[in-house]
C-alpha cells in the first residue's frame, strides 16, 4: 500500500533540514520518478519511505509511505521545530485509488487485505509528523469498508440514541477525531475561525492519543460520547438561538478535552499517594486542572490558535479551563445551587456573555454524567466500564495496603446499588433542573430513560447480591467479577 502526500516544494538551492531525515526515510530527486510507479525492491530493503520530485508537477513534493511506517518512535521533531516545516496542502485524493494503479493481478488480493487491515488512521496514530486532511473530504480518513456506515451514523449524530461504541468500531477506534472534526465542519467553525486544517487535524490526533485507552472508562470513547451529548444540548432551542459561534467552538473543544490524560484513578488516590499532581494543584480539582493544562499544552504545541491575537488566544484558554473545571463532581452542589437560584428568580439572560458561559458549564456537566440518561443498552455498558475502573483502583489500593476508597471494593459493591445511589443523589437533581431550564422532548426523554434504568438496576439487585455472595469465598479470583460493579458519576472525577 502506498500513501502519497502532496507538500509544498522545498527550494532546491537550500540544504535539506536534518530533522527531515530519519532511519526510515531518504530524500531523492529524480526527473523520471513516477508518483504511482512500482518501487524498486532494492530500495524496500533499505528504507520504508522516500521523498521524490515529480517532473510533471513543478510545485509539489510527494512523500511515499510504504507499509505500516511507525514514525513516531523513530522521528521526533524537537518541540521548537515542529512548527518550522509548513505542511500546508496535503493531498489525499489519491489515497483510495492507489490499489488500482501499478499492481499486478497476483498481488491484488494481498494489497486489498493490507489496505483493509492497515487503515490510514493507523498511519496517523503512529506519527506526529504528517497529519492533515483537506476540508472538502473530511471523512476520507476512514477505511473504504466502513466509510459508508460511519457517514450514515454521522447523519444522525444529533440523535440521543447514537451508539458511540458502534461508531468507534466503524472508525477503527478514531471516534473522537472523526466526530469532533465532523461537528466543527458542520457548524462552519473551520472557515469562520480560519483554522488551519493540518494544525486542527494534528491537534485532534494528539488529543485522542493522550487519552489512556487502557482505562476501562476514562478514555477517548468517553470523550467522544460526551462531545456527542454536548452537541445534542447545543441543538436545544434555548441554546441554539442564543449561543455564538465562539461559544459553540469552546463547548465542543471542552467536551473533547475534558478528561485529557486521565490516569484512571480518582483525586483521593492521588492525594493519599502523594502524587506530584496533587502537590502541584494543592489537592484542589487536581484532575480537572491537569485536563485543562494538558489541553492548553496541545493547543500551544500545534499552534491551532496562533493566528489569533494573543489576547483572544489567552481568553480562549482561560474559558476552556473554566468549563473543564466545572466538571469537578465535588463542586456539584455549588453549581446546582447557583443554577437553581437563576431558574427560581428567572434571572438567566442569554444575551449576557457570562450567563451563556454558565449555561455552557451546566451543559458540559450534564454531558459528562449523562450515561444514566441513555437507553439501557448503552447505559449498562457505561456503568460496567466505570465500575471496573473503580474496582481496578481498589485492587491497587489493596495490593499496596492502602485504605480502599469508597465504591472501589469489588467484594462489597455491585453495579446496581452504586448506580441507583448515583442516580438518586447526583443525576436526578441535575437533570431535573436542566429540564426546568430546557423543557424539551430531549429533556423528557433523558428523564424517562433514567427512570427506566433505575428500575432495571433495582430489578437486578437480588441477582447481583446473590452472585456477590457466591463469589466472596473465592476472593482471590475476584478479577472475573469486575463487570459487576457500581457506577459512579462518570464525572466522579474526583476520579
Amino acid at each position: 500500500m502506498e500513501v502519497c502526500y502532496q507538500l509544498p516544494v522545498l527550494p532546491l538551492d537550500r540544504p535539506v533540514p536534518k530533522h527531515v531525515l530519519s532511519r526510515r526515510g531518504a530524500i531523492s530527486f529524480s526527473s523520471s520518478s513516477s508518483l504511482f510507479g512500482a518501487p524498486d525492491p532494492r530500495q524496500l530493503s533499505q528504507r520504508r519511505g522516500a521523498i521524490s520530485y515529480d517532473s510533471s508537477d513543478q510545485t509539489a513534493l510527494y512523500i511515499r509511505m510504504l507499509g505500516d511506517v511507525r514514525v513516531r518512535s523513530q522521528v521526533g521533531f524537537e518541540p521548537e521545530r515542529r512548527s518550522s516545516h509548513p505542511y500546508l496542502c496535503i493531498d489525499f485524493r489519491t489515497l483510495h485509488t492507489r490499489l488500482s494503479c501499478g499492481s499486478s493481478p497476483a498481488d491484488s488480493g494481498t494489497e486489498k487485505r493490507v489496505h483493509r487491515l492497515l487503515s490510514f488512521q493507523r498511519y496517523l496514530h503512529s506519527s506526529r509528523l504528517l497529519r492533515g486532511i483537506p476540508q472538502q473530504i473530511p471523512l476520507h480518513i476512514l477505511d473504504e469498508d466502513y466509510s459508508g456506515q460511519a457517514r450514515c451514523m454521522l447523519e444522525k449524530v444529533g440523535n440521543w440514541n447514537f451508539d458511540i461504541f458502534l461508531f468507534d468500531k466503524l472508525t477503527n477506534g478514531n471516534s473522537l477525531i472523526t466526530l469532533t472534526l465532523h461537528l466543527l465542519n458542520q457548524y462552519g467553525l473551520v472557515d469562520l475561525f480560519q483554522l488551519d486544517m493540518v494544525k486542527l487535524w494534528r491537534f485532534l490526533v494528539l488529543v485522542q492519543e493522550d487519552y489512556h485507552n487502557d482505562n476501562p472508562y476514562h478514555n477517548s470513547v468517553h470523550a467522544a460520547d460526551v462531545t456527542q451529548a454536548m452537541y445534542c444540548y447545543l441543538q436545544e432551542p434555548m441554546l441554539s438561538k442564543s449561543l455564538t459561534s465562539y461559544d459553540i467552538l469552546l463547548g465542543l473543544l471542552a467536551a473533547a478535552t475534558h478528561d485529557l490524560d486521565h490516569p484512571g484513578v480518582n483525586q483521593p488516590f492521588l492525594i493519599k499517594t502523594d502524587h506530584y499532581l496533587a502537590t502541584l494543584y494543592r489537592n484542589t480539582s487536581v484532575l480537572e486542572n491537569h485536563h485543562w493544562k494538558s489541553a492548553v499544552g496541545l493547543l500551544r504545541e500545534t499552534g491551532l490558535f496562533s493566528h489569533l491575537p494573543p489576547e483572544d488566544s489567552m481568553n480562549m484558554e482561560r474559558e476552556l479551563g473554566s468549563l473543564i473545571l466545572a466538571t469537578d463532581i465535588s463542586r456539584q452542589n455549588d453549581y446546582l445551587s447557583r443554577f437553581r437560584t437563576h431558574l427560581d428568580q428567572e434571572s438567566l439572560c442569554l444575551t449576557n456573555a457570562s450567563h451563556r458561559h454558565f449555561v455552557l458549564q451546566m451543559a458540559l456537566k450534564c454531558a459528562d454524567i449523562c450515561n444514566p440518561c441513555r437507553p439501557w443498552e448503552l447505559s449498562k455498558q457505561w456503568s460496567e466500564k466505570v465500575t471496573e475502573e473503580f474496582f481496578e483502583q481498589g485492587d491497587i489500593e489493596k495490593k499496596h495496603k492502602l485504605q480502599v476508597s469508597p465504591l472501589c471494593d469489588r467484594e462489597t459493591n455491585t453495579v446496581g446499588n452504586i448506580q441507583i445511589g448515583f442516580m438518586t443523589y447526583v443525576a436526578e437533581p441535575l437533570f431535573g433542573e436542566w429540564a426546568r431550564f430546557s423543557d424539551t422532548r430531549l429533556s423528557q426523554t433523558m428523564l424517562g430513560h433514567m427512570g427506566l434504568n433505575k428500575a432495571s438496576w433495582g430489578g437486578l439487585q437480588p441477582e447481583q447480591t446473590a452472585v456477590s455472595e457466591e463469589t466472596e469465598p473465592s476472593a482471590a479470583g475476584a478479577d472475573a467479577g469486575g463487570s459487576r460493579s457500581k457506577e459512579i458519576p462518570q464525572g466522579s472525577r474526583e476520579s
Side-chain angles (χ1 to χ4, degrees):
M1 178 180 178
E2 184 171 316
V3 182
C4 302
Y5 304 80
Q6 185 178 16
L7 304 177
V9 66
L10 293 175
L12 299 183
D13 58 344
R14 296 184 183 178
V16 178
K18 291 182 179 180
H19 62 268
V20 175
L21 299 175
S22 73
R23 286 177 287 179
R24 288 193 172 184
I27 298 182
S28 61
F29 297 96
S30 171
S31 61
S32 61
S33 63
S34 173
L35 177 59
F36 296 112
D40 186 339
R42 292 174 297 179
Q43 294 177 340
L44 293 182
S45 63
Q46 299 174 0
R47 64 180 186 267
R48 302 289 296 277
I51 299 180
S52 60
Y53 176 74
D54 181 12
S55 62
S56 65
D57 186 350
Q58 299 291 332
T59 64
L61 288 171
Y62 294 92
I63 290 184
R64 293 179 176 178
M65 297 180 68
L66 307 175
D68 190 10
V69 184
R70 300 288 175 178
V71 188
R72 178 179 181 183
S73 60
Q74 300 294 334
V75 184
F77 286 170
E78 296 295 330
E80 63 273 14
R81 291 184 181 179
R82 285 180 177 170
S83 60
S84 64
H85 205 71
Y87 299 113
L88 299 178
C89 54
I90 296 180
D91 187 354
F92 292 85
R93 289 171 293 180
T94 60
L95 177 61
H96 297 299
T97 60
R98 174 64 188 92
L99 288 178
S100 61
C101 304
S103 60
S104 63
D107 296 334
S108 61
T110 301
E111 287 184 326
K112 288 180 180 179
R113 287 194 294 273
V114 170
H115 180 71
R116 183 171 294 120
L117 294 175
L118 300 178
S119 68
F120 187 61
Q121 298 98 309
R122 295 179 188 271
Y123 285 97
L124 298 180
H125 184 74
S126 64
S127 170
R128 289 197 175 194
L129 296 180
L130 304 174
R131 288 168 181 158
I133 180 172
Q135 181 177 343
Q136 63 271 24
I137 48 173
L139 292 179
H140 282 196
I141 57 174
L142 304 179
D143 283 344
E144 289 177 349
D145 294 341
Y146 298 122
S147 62
Q149 299 175 61
R151 285 173 182 272
C152 183
M153 287 196 69
L154 284 175
E155 292 176 0
K156 300 180 180 180
V157 69
N159 191 319
W160 189 247
N161 297 335
F162 190 86
D163 188 341
I164 197 64
F165 297 111
L166 175 59
F167 186 71
D168 192 63
K169 292 178 181 177
L170 295 180
T171 56
N172 286 343
N174 291 279
S175 55
L176 180 57
I177 299 172
T178 309
L179 180 69
T180 307
L181 185 60
H182 173 78
L183 294 179
L184 293 175
N185 275 321
Q186 180 166 303
Y187 275 113
L189 300 174
V190 176
D191 284 338
L192 185 61
F193 289 92
Q194 299 180 338
L195 301 179
D196 182 283
M197 287 303 296
V198 175
K199 292 179 180 179
L200 175 59
W201 172 252
R202 184 165 179 258
F203 170 76
L204 293 177
V205 172
L206 294 181
V207 167
Q208 181 170 279
E209 285 183 353
D210 282 355
Y211 276 95
H212 302 191
N213 283 332
D214 53 347
N215 289 344
Y217 181 81
H218 289 103
N219 51 44
S220 62
V221 182
H222 166 65
D225 184 62
V226 172
T227 304
Q228 190 272 336
M230 188 66 167
Y231 171 71
C232 291
Y233 300 150
L234 294 178
Q235 293 292 102
E236 291 286 79
M238 287 289 289
L239 279 72
S240 62
K241 295 177 181 178
S242 306
L243 296 181
T244 65
S245 297
Y246 177 85
D247 297 328
I248 294 171
L249 175 63
L250 196 65
L252 293 177
L253 291 181
T257 61
H258 80 284
D259 271 335
L260 194 60
D261 198 32
H262 196 293
V265 293
N266 60 21
Q267 176 173 295
F269 181 90
L270 297 179
I271 293 175
K272 67 185 176 185
T273 56
D274 294 325
H275 195 276
Y276 78 94
L277 287 177
T279 303
L280 179 63
Y281 298 116
R282 301 180 180 182
N283 300 342
T284 303
S285 298
V286 175
L287 288 170
E288 290 70 30
N289 272 296
H290 179 58
H291 304 325
W292 167 35
K293 297 302 174 61
S294 298
V296 169
L298 294 186
L299 286 173
R300 295 183 180 181
E301 178 181 347
T302 58
L304 183 59
F305 298 128
S306 61
H307 62 291
L308 299 178
E311 183 178 351
D312 292 345
S313 182
M314 290 295 292
N315 286 337
M316 176 74 77
E317 293 175 359
R318 183 169 53 253
E319 294 189 18
L320 181 68
S322 177
L323 290 179
I324 294 176
L325 289 173
T327 60
D328 185 351
I329 200 69
S330 67
R331 301 177 62 192
Q332 173 89 349
N333 290 337
D334 295 339
Y335 283 93
L336 190 58
S337 296
R338 182 180 168 192
F339 194 36
R340 186 178 291 119
T341 299
H342 274 301
L343 296 177
D344 290 343
Q345 298 178 357
E346 298 182 355
S347 58
L348 273 178
C349 178
L350 296 185
T351 59
N352 183 307
S354 63
H355 285 195
R356 290 198 308 273
H357 186 77
F358 175 67
V359 169
L360 275 180
Q361 290 177 317
M362 298 307 299
L364 183 58
K365 289 179 67 64
C366 289
D368 187 33
I369 61 171
C370 71
N371 297 161
C373 302
R374 297 283 192 179
W376 170 251
E377 295 76 12
L378 301 176
S379 179
K380 183 173 183 290
Q381 291 183 69
W382 284 122
S383 300
E384 292 171 345
K385 288 177 181 296
V386 73
T387 306
E388 177 56 25
E389 185 168 301
F390 294 146
F391 285 177
E392 287 182 1
Q393 175 181 322
D395 293 342
I396 295 173
E397 291 169 332
K398 290 178 182 178
K399 179 179 178 180
H400 294 280
K401 309 261 190 271
L402 299 171
Q403 181 179 359
V404 179
S405 299
L407 310 177
C408 292
D409 191 339
R410 67 172 74 245
E411 296 179 13
T412 59
N413 294 282
T414 64
V415 181
N417 59 24
I418 301 302
Q419 190 65 17
I420 291 174
F422 173 63
M423 291 181 187
T424 301
Y425 299 108
V426 180
E428 287 179 349
L430 177 62
F431 285 96
E433 296 302 322
W434 182 262
R436 286 180 61 197
F437 166 71
S438 178
D439 188 9
T440 62
R441 181 178 179 180
L442 174 59
S443 295
Q444 297 307 315
T445 296
M446 291 192 297
L447 291 176
H449 282 316
M450 183 156 49
L452 292 174
N453 292 338
K454 188 175 181 180
S456 296
W457 285 121
L460 291 176
Q461 278 295 83
E463 176 185 340
Q464 290 187 339
T465 301
V467 172
S468 178
E469 291 174 352
E470 291 175 5
T471 57
E472 187 171 340
S474 56
D479 60 322
S483 62
R484 297 182 208 89
S485 320
K486 50 176 183 193
E487 158 149 34
I488 259 229
Q490 322 149 334
S492 215
R493 276 194 270 108
E494 265 196 354
S495 61

